[in-house]
Amino acid sequence: MKRIKIKALLSSPLLGSDVLVKGWVRTKRGNKNIVFITLNDGSTINNIQVVVDAGSFDENLLKDISTGACIAVNGKLIKSQGQGQNIEINATTIELYGKSDAETYPLQKKGHSMEFLRENSHLRFRTNTFGAVFRIRHAMAFAIHKYFNDKGFFYLHTPIITGSDCEGAGEMFHVTTMDLKNMPHNEGGSVDFRNDFFGKETNLTVSGQLEGELGALALGDIYTFGPTFRAENSNTPRHLAEFWMIEPEMAFYDLTDNMDLAEEFVKYLIRYALDNCREDMEFLNNMIDKALLERLKFVLENEFVRITYTEAVTILTASGKKWDYMVGWGRDLQAEHERYLVEEHFKRPVILTDYPKEIKAFYMKQNDDGKTVRAMDVLFPGIGEIIGGSQREEQYDRLLARIKEMKLPEKDLWWYLDTRKFGTAPHSGFGLGFERLILFVTGMSNIRDVIPFPRTPKNAEF
RNA sequence: UCCUCAGUAGCUCAGUUGGUUAGAGCGUCGGACUGUUAAUCCGCAGGUCGUAGGUUCGAGUCCUACCUGGGGAGCCA
């Protein structure tokens, strides 16, 4: 007999038919005569109740069916006599695949703290919350590919090991095959990488953007979606040392096109989650964040506010608020400022544009005022910056001048500069932190709980 | 990295101005119950109080350092 997934079983139940389900026991209760097993197989947040006539089964088998055990149940699908569910399975045979010692199995029937479950990341998939989160995470990954594919974007695989440290996005993890206890040094005292695997210093990528631009300036519209690495000692609920990023890069897009795409893209993903992950979303709305669905619908129904950095500074100055950090043109906006704009002043997502060039990356297109660049940050309530992007500087001379001004290693960027030398084109792009999107969509509050195996300072277990 | 709070039973927590044998709920285990819903009821077991020093007649409680975790900040996505 062929196994049926619980999701399929529940969506079109054939009452009276014999079915075979396989899954993990959530709870078991009952007495000498009748036993109820709540079974979940991960296909859906919903469980199927298995009813067992205790007299017709081996006592020891029933004893071994404890929370966490894995079983296969063959039985008849019937209308439930009880209250909590419509259908249930009247067990004919039960095969025990794997026992789960009740004394040592970490997960109880009752709830656990997020911190405890994080220490048990190998088992937390078996909880309702993490089942929901990771099903939604999958759906979002799928929707990202669908959105871009439908729009004619090409998925470009940019390298994970990189030989350049030019993006300036953060501290990098070194990649080497050399003996760490016996690193060769050259006369100046610095490490000699000439005999290393790549013959030069290499790192894990902090962004695929620069390579993405190379693709866009030939294929038109591309996107990357892959892991990125930052060796920053960031200890916050919004940062990971290893996280996934989506970076579209589009030829012939100006900053407005870029903003339009970013807004449409994020709204598409939110709508996809609401339309396709309904039960998981409702569970999270009930158990994790009562305002989740309402907030997501609000974001869908309202346009993002678009203002310039200069306008934001004016608003912040005029607010009369006492800030921990000073507001002033030329200073970067702090979390408290961004939060005020998003959560108090506008009460909706905000896109800030045209930042002072001094606080932004070298590749951003310089405005004619000589002071600002065509940057955009999309700010979300509760999360802060979810997207950072810009129109890129396509003029060779200006880009080179900026590289020199910022004392970046010009010779390492020869391939990047070549795109401006040969058939340059206006283009734009942005980066979306995948886990930050998942945070927003699920209502979870710690980024470590929306990636299966979080990598953070002092933590690489599992 | 900085600020701040916390670390006591498997889990979640209580523990009075420092004072005898450190408590509860849940879970586990044993028992009861013929339809349960994170079942219910009865009972047993379970703790070198994060680690290392120190103060004191006496430390879970006070002090110092370190470790781990939460929240906030910085860096950013």
Side-chain angles (χ1 to χ4, degrees), chain A residues 244-289:
Chain A
W244 288 65
M245 191 153 60
I246 301 105
E247 295 179 288
E249 196 71 36
M250 299 75 64
F252 316 119
Y253 270 51
D254 65 15
L255 191 66
T256 303
D257 300 326
N258 203 20
M259 286 190 279
D260 290 346
L261 182 77
E263 182 166 346
E264 181 187 76
F265 176 51
V266 173
K267 285 180 172 174
Y268 176 91
L269 296 176
I270 291 171
R271 187 171 291 111
Y272 190 93
L274 290 171
D275 290 349
N276 295 277
C277 309
R278 200 199 190 97
E279 288 169 332
D280 288 326
M281 297 294 291
E282 277 169 5
F283 174 83
L284 294 170
N285 191 66
N286 289 334
M287 302 302 287
I288 302 293
D289 178 357

Side-chain angles (χ1 to χ4, degrees), chain A residues 181-358:
Chain A
K181 291 180 193 120
N182 187 24
M183 299 283 274
H185 290 77
N186 53 35
E187 282 154 28
S190 57
V191 177
D192 182 355
F193 289 98
R194 280 175 303 179
N195 289 317
D196 199 357
F197 187 89
F198 295 106
K200 64 183 292 195
E201 188 173 359
T202 52
N203 301 287
L204 293 178
T205 184
V206 292
S207 164
Q209 182 200 312
L210 300 189
E211 291 90 349
E213 286 185 51
L214 311 184
L217 292 175
L219 297 165
D221 299 329
I222 66 94
Y223 69 105
T224 74
F225 183 11
T228 46
F229 308 87
R230 308 261 168 106
E232 298 287 346
N233 190 12
S234 294
N235 294 284
T236 84
R238 297 179 306 283
H239 290 86
L240 292 164
E242 175 181 311
F243 64 100
W244 288 65
M245 191 153 60
I246 301 105
E247 295 179 288
E249 196 71 36
M250 299 75 64
F252 316 119
Y253 270 51
D254 65 15
L255 191 66
T256 303
D257 300 326
N258 203 20
M259 286 190 279
D260 290 346
L261 182 77
E263 182 166 346
E264 181 187 76
F265 176 51
V266 173
K267 285 180 172 174
Y268 176 91
L269 296 176
I270 291 171
R271 187 171 291 111
Y272 190 93
L274 290 171
D275 290 349
N276 295 277
C277 309
R278 200 199 190 97
E279 288 169 332
D280 288 326
M281 297 294 291
E282 277 169 5
F283 174 83
L284 294 170
N285 191 66
N286 289 334
M287 302 302 287
I288 302 293
D289 178 357
K290 300 265 188 233
L292 175 64
L293 294 177
E294 207 177 307
R295 186 164 58 247
L296 294 180
K297 279 174 193 151
F298 181 84
V299 168
L300 282 186
E301 286 160 7
N302 289 279
E303 300 212 330
F304 297 1
V305 173
R306 300 180 184 189
I307 59 167
T308 65
Y309 165 89
T310 304
E311 287 166 332
V313 169
T314 305
I315 290 168
L316 292 166
T317 308
S319 74
K321 283 239 168 197
K322 285 262 180 221
W323 306 109
D324 292 336
Y325 290 85
M326 254 178 66
V327 176
W329 205 96
R331 291 169 181 276
D332 206 353
L333 299 181
Q334 303 298 315
E336 57 173 341
H337 309 137
E338 296 181 348
R339 192 169 301 143
Y340 172 80
L341 291 171
V342 173
E343 292 167 16
E344 288 185 59
H345 189 81
F346 290 113
K347 294 193 167 69
R348 68 181 65 178
V350 174
I351 310 182
L352 290 180
T353 63
D354 300 287
Y355 283 74
K357 65 178 180 185
E358 286 76 17

